[in-house]
Amino acid sequence: MDDYPLLNLFWTMLWFFLWIMWLFLLFRVITDIFRSHDLNGWAKAGWLVLALVVPFLGVLIYVIARGGSMGKRDVKEAEDREQAFKAYVREAAGSGGAGKGGVDELTRLADLKSSGAITDEEFQKAKTKLLA
């Protein structure tokens, strides 16, 4: 440890951190290239070749040219995922807009049974059919 001073350790850690950050940026740009819907196949191939053959310059040019739209694509994808999740939760909870959910149907069946409109046997059959 005596022949490797603390300042050299600091510089080594800094360069290692910058290298890791560079890899994150490179993979981020590559995933953005593939996910971008406004680029055709040849444009994607061109950006990918530029980012892989001349990585520092290619990524820097990509971030300068398309950096603003990267954030917009991220926000749009997050909103789409959130809407899909909310729609799934609404469907799973049974409160979808198109029809009544399972809970509402069970409540209606219980009301029909308690009012005497259906028998206990009919209630059980409808309940098992609804829950299946």
Side-chain angles (χ1 to χ4, degrees), residues 36-112:
S36 178
H37 296 294
D38 59 336
L39 291 176
N40 62 16
W42 288 105
K44 287 181 182 185
W47 278 114
L48 188 62
V49 166
L50 185 65
L52 292 177
V53 171
V54 191
F56 288 111
L57 187 62
V59 167
L60 190 63
I61 291 172
Y62 186 84
V63 169
I64 290 170
R66 298 180 48 87
S69 61
M70 284 174 70
K72 291 176 186 173
R73 278 187 293 279
D74 277 343
V75 169
K76 174 139 177 38
E77 185 176 324
E79 288 172 349
D80 291 346
R81 265 188 269 139
E82 183 178 357
Q83 287 176 355
F85 176 73
K86 286 181 179 179
Y88 171 74
V89 168
R90 269 189 239 106
E91 179 184 330
S95 62
K100 290 192 172 192
V103 174
D104 294 334
E105 282 292 315
L106 282 175
T107 305
R108 189 178 64 81
L109 283 173
D111 289 342
L112 288 173

